[in-house]
């Protein structure tokens, strides 16, 4: 089911698209039409991080859409996508299935991806299961080797915390939690990021814009041997791959990112200075790197 908005009337540069997952969850995406000249070009699929939503791409998506159609996915349990009845479906393989359902409904055969953290993991799994359909990928501060300390930090805060009475209170609380990630941010930067990641409830409280049950699978014991994601990464093959790494990241180590660059012929590593996990991709270094990556994507 598609719900089209009159973007000329409301000033927005996207339309809303809703679709259904195989298990009956109503999901949401923003669709930026892109230029008519690029109508035959594979679109760019943007996928946010674990606790993020479509607003994570509110600056980048219109920029990318200058050159081609851009679709920003909202994973189940976030933003306008419905919450899942079974919290154990909040796992990457289910997200892959949800995105494939969207691609099938929109009849998209080939596409590129820009994925932050969880979105990048989904990109790699799609490369492994959809041979030949990905034409390019941006992996934003994520890869086949992730740092245990950083993952533990995320497990500690996902699903925790209550509401705040005002946006300023919420921004200050968010800043306290993430000060080491964006050490150069001022209050206006934190307000911008908080409004991307939080929502106002009918009761007038500011809360994180996701189902707290997305944390449920993270509480399960991890396999002792871990999961080898290198085969999924290598499945990207020789397509253009941009590995973005926050210079202060505690998730993607510098050595692991360098191994990623060396492992694929089309991979390029760019560090975003002064930020941790994950770059917002508003940073000049990130935007310039993404522009270069876009220029390398196939036109048809």
């Amino acid at each position: 089911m598609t719900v089209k908005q009159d973007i000329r009337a409301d000033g927005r540069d996207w339309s809303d698209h809703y679709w259904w997952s195989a298990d009956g969850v109503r999901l949401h995406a923003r669709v930026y039409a892109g230029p008519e000249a690029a109508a035959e070009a594979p679109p760019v699929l943007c996928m946010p991080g674990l606790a993020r939503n479509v607003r994570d791409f509110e600056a980048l998506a219109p920029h990318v859409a200058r050159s081609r159609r851009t679709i920003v996915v909202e994973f189940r349990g976030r933003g306008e996508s419905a919450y899942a009845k079974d919290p154990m479906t909040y796992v990457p393989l289910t997200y892959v299935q949800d995105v494939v359902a969207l691609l099938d409904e929109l009849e998209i055969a080939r596409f590129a991806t820009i994925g932050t953290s969880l979105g990048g993991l989904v990109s790699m799994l799609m490369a492994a299961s959809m041979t030949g359909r990905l034409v390019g990928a941006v992996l934003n501060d994520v890869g086949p080797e992730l740092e245990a300390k950083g993952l533990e930090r995320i497990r500690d805060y996902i699903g925790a915390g209550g509401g705040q009475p005002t946006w300023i209170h919420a921004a200050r609380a968010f800043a306290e939690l993430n000060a080491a990630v964006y050490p150069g941010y001022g209050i206006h930067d934190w307000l911008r990021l908080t409004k991307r990641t939080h929502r106002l409830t009918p009761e007038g409280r500011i809360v994180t814009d996701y189902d707290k049950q997305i944390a449920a699978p993270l509480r399960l014991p991890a396999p002792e041997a871990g999961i080898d994601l290198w085969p999924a990464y290598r499945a990207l093959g020789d397509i253009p791959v941009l590995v973005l790494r926050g210079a202060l990241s505690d998730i993607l180590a510098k050595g692991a990112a360098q191994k990623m660059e060396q492992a694929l012929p089309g991979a390029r590593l760019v560090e975003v200075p002064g930020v941790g996990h994950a770059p917002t991709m508003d940073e000049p270094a990130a935007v310039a790197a993404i522009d270069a990556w876009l220029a390398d994507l196939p036109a048809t």
Side-chain angles (χ1 to χ4, degrees), residues 1-3 15-31 54 71-85 89-90 93-103 105-106:
M1 176 177 63
T2 304
V3 180
S15 61
D16 290 309
H17 184 90
Y18 297 91
W19 81 104
W20 294 92
S21 71
D23 59 341
V25 179
R26 188 172 184 257
L27 302 168
H28 171 251
R30 286 182 180 178
V31 179
V54 291
I71 302 164
V72 187
V73 171
E74 205 150 49
F75 292 131
R76 58 175 58 204
R78 285 84 164 172
E80 292 186 47
S81 287
Y83 291 7
K85 292 180 180 179
T89 63
Y90 290 131
L93 288 177
T94 304
Y95 302 137
V96 170
Q97 294 168 1
D98 291 346
V99 175
V100 170
L102 172 64
L103 295 171
E105 182 170 305
L106 297 179

Side-chain angles (χ1 to χ4, degrees), residues 185-220:
Y185 272 21
I187 189 60
H188 293 293
D189 300 304
W190 288 114
L191 271 171
R192 170 176 51 85
L193 194 56
T194 301
K195 289 186 176 182
R196 288 182 181 179
T197 55
H198 291 64
R199 63 180 174 87
L200 177 65
T201 70
E203 296 75 28
R205 302 287 290 181
I206 311 298
V207 300
T208 49
D209 197 6
Y210 62 82
D211 181 2
K212 292 186 182 300
Q213 288 301 308
I214 66 171
L218 301 178
R219 301 189 189 107
L220 298 177

Side-chain angles (χ1 to χ4, degrees), residues 5-21:
Q5 303 288 346
D6 184 350
I7 62 175
R8 292 168 297 182
D10 62 19
R12 301 189 312 179
D13 49 4
W14 75 86
S15 61
D16 290 309
H17 184 90
Y18 297 91
W19 81 104
W20 294 92
S21 71

Side-chain angles (χ1 to χ4, degrees), residues 4-159:
K4 293 184 177 179
Q5 303 288 346
D6 184 350
I7 62 175
R8 292 168 297 182
D10 62 19
R12 301 189 312 179
D13 49 4
W14 75 86
S15 61
D16 290 309
H17 184 90
Y18 297 91
W19 81 104
W20 294 92
S21 71
D23 59 341
V25 179
R26 188 172 184 257
L27 302 168
H28 171 251
R30 286 182 180 178
V31 179
Y32 297 76
E36 289 186 13
E40 300 302 317
V44 174
L45 195 67
C46 298
M47 297 183 287
L50 178 65
R52 303 298 182 92
N53 56 68
V54 291
R55 298 190 301 281
D56 223 26
F57 290 89
E58 64 183 9
L60 182 64
H63 180 79
V64 174
R66 294 176 186 173
S67 60
R68 59 183 65 213
R69 186 184 186 194
T70 303
I71 302 164
V72 187
V73 171
E74 205 150 49
F75 292 131
R76 58 175 58 204
R78 285 84 164 172
E80 292 186 47
S81 287
Y83 291 7
K85 292 180 180 179
D86 179 1
M88 289 303 122
T89 63
Y90 290 131
V91 293
L93 288 177
T94 304
Y95 302 137
V96 170
Q97 294 168 1
D98 291 346
V99 175
V100 170
L102 172 64
L103 295 171
D104 290 347
E105 182 170 305
L106 297 179
E107 299 182 336
I108 294 171
R110 300 169 74 239
F111 56 94
T113 60
I114 300 177
T116 294
S117 195
L118 170 63
L121 293 177
V122 172
S123 295
M124 290 190 291
L125 293 173
M126 292 174 75
S129 60
M130 306 170 70
T131 304
R133 293 184 65 178
L134 264 72
V135 301
V138 175
L139 302 179
N140 184 23
D141 214 59
V142 70
E145 292 182 17
L146 303 176
E147 296 296 294
K149 185 176 181 180
L151 292 174
E152 190 60 35
R153 175 180 64 83
I154 292 173
R155 289 191 189 98
D156 285 345
Y157 76 75
I158 288 294

